[in-house]
Amino acid sequence: MSHTHRRDGHGRRRGGPDQARGRPRGVWGAALALACAAALTACGPDGGDADAAGAASDAPTSPAATPTGTGTPAEPAPSSPPPTSAAPSASAKPGGIARCETDGLALSLVANGQEMNSKYFDLRLTNTGSEPCDLLGHPGVSLLDAGGKRVGEPATRNQDGTGDGGAVRLRPGQAAHATVKTAGEGVTDGRCWPEAATLLVYPPGSRQTVTTADLAGLKVCGDSFQVGPVGDRAP
């Protein structure tokens, strides 16, 4: 006697695909629940790893270099150069030697004889300072009376004497020399200027004066009164 078996929805496959594979659905649900519980324990608000992560996130970080247009980190701007020392207030002096100033010069006049129809005098400017100085050119020379009024006219310039037109360097105690020339009284029939009391001199390049009352017998006659350039020795 044979039996016929029917496959319907109430047969062996009633348990569904999971039962067919031998893995009931309840096993997967339990495993998933255990995994979530473990994750909540590790990541929960009281977990040590969560505290460490929070501390790490609060730690300061160094800023990253800003990329330039070429994709390389931007180089820092160069620092400003150190300030340079200020320039000295006084200008440099030619050759490193100053021009002789009147407060460091002494004036004297020495008779230097007579030749032909002229009389000569050695005008000396002596360096009384502690440093060397230079003189260049002609001094300005005038005569004053006892009241300080000029006698006659200032001396005109000539090239008499030992000066060659160059600068004269005076060490302390040294003198520059200029030749003063006038006509002899005898050749002018006595036509001479009134007697002077003071010799007034502008050293070369200066607007200040030095004076002396010792005229060494200088008397200007014949309206001839001349001075040469300074030199380094007496005429």
Side-chain angles (χ1 to χ4, degrees), residues 108-124 160-163 176-182 214-219 226 228-229 233-235:
S108 59
L109 190 67
V110 178
N112 200 36
Q114 182 171 345
E115 182 181 11
M116 300 295 289
N117 297 324
S118 300
K119 297 181 67 173
Y120 296 90
F121 297 83
D122 180 19
L123 186 155
R124 300 177 181 178
D160 289 345
T162 62
H177 303 266
T179 298
V180 174
K181 177 183 177 183
T182 187
D214 185 358
L215 299 185
L218 173 62
K219 189 174 185 180
Q226 303 175 38
R233 62 188 186 277

Side-chain angles (χ1 to χ4, degrees), residues 49-62:
D49 291 342
D51 292 340
S57 64
D58 293 337
T61 58
S62 300

